Amino acid sequence: MGFAELSIADIAAEYGLKEQAVFELCDRFQINYKNERTCLALEDAKAIIMEILATKTNSEAS
C-alpha cells in the first residue's frame, strides 16, 4: 500500500476541521496513527476524505 503525502494535520487544515475530528475518523476506521504528523496510507487518506466530503454534503443538504 502506498503512502499519501498527507498527514492528519494536513487533512484537518485542508477541510477546516480540528485534528481531533480526524483522529476520531482514524479510530472509527481502525487506522493506526502516532500523532498529527502521521502520514496516512493512500487508501486510508481516501477513506477519511470521502467521509469528510459525505458528511459535509449531508449537512449542506439539510
Side-chain angles (χ1 to χ4, degrees), residues 1-58:
M1 185 181 314
F3 280 84
E5 290 296 321
L6 290 173
S7 68
I8 290 170
D10 292 335
I11 293 172
E14 178 71 25
Y15 293 97
L17 300 172
K18 294 185 178 187
E19 290 172 357
Q20 184 60 40
V22 182
F23 289 144
E24 290 169 7
L25 287 172
C26 288
D27 292 340
R28 192 166 95 196
F29 291 125
Q30 298 179 344
I31 298 168
N32 295 322
Y33 60 89
K34 290 185 180 183
N35 56 42
E36 69 279 355
R37 293 183 312 274
T38 301
C39 284
L40 300 175
L42 183 58
E43 291 300 316
D44 293 341
K46 283 173 47 179
I48 288 174
I49 292 168
M50 295 296 286
E51 183 65 20
I52 291 168
L53 293 175
T55 301
K56 285 188 179 221
T57 300
N58 288 339

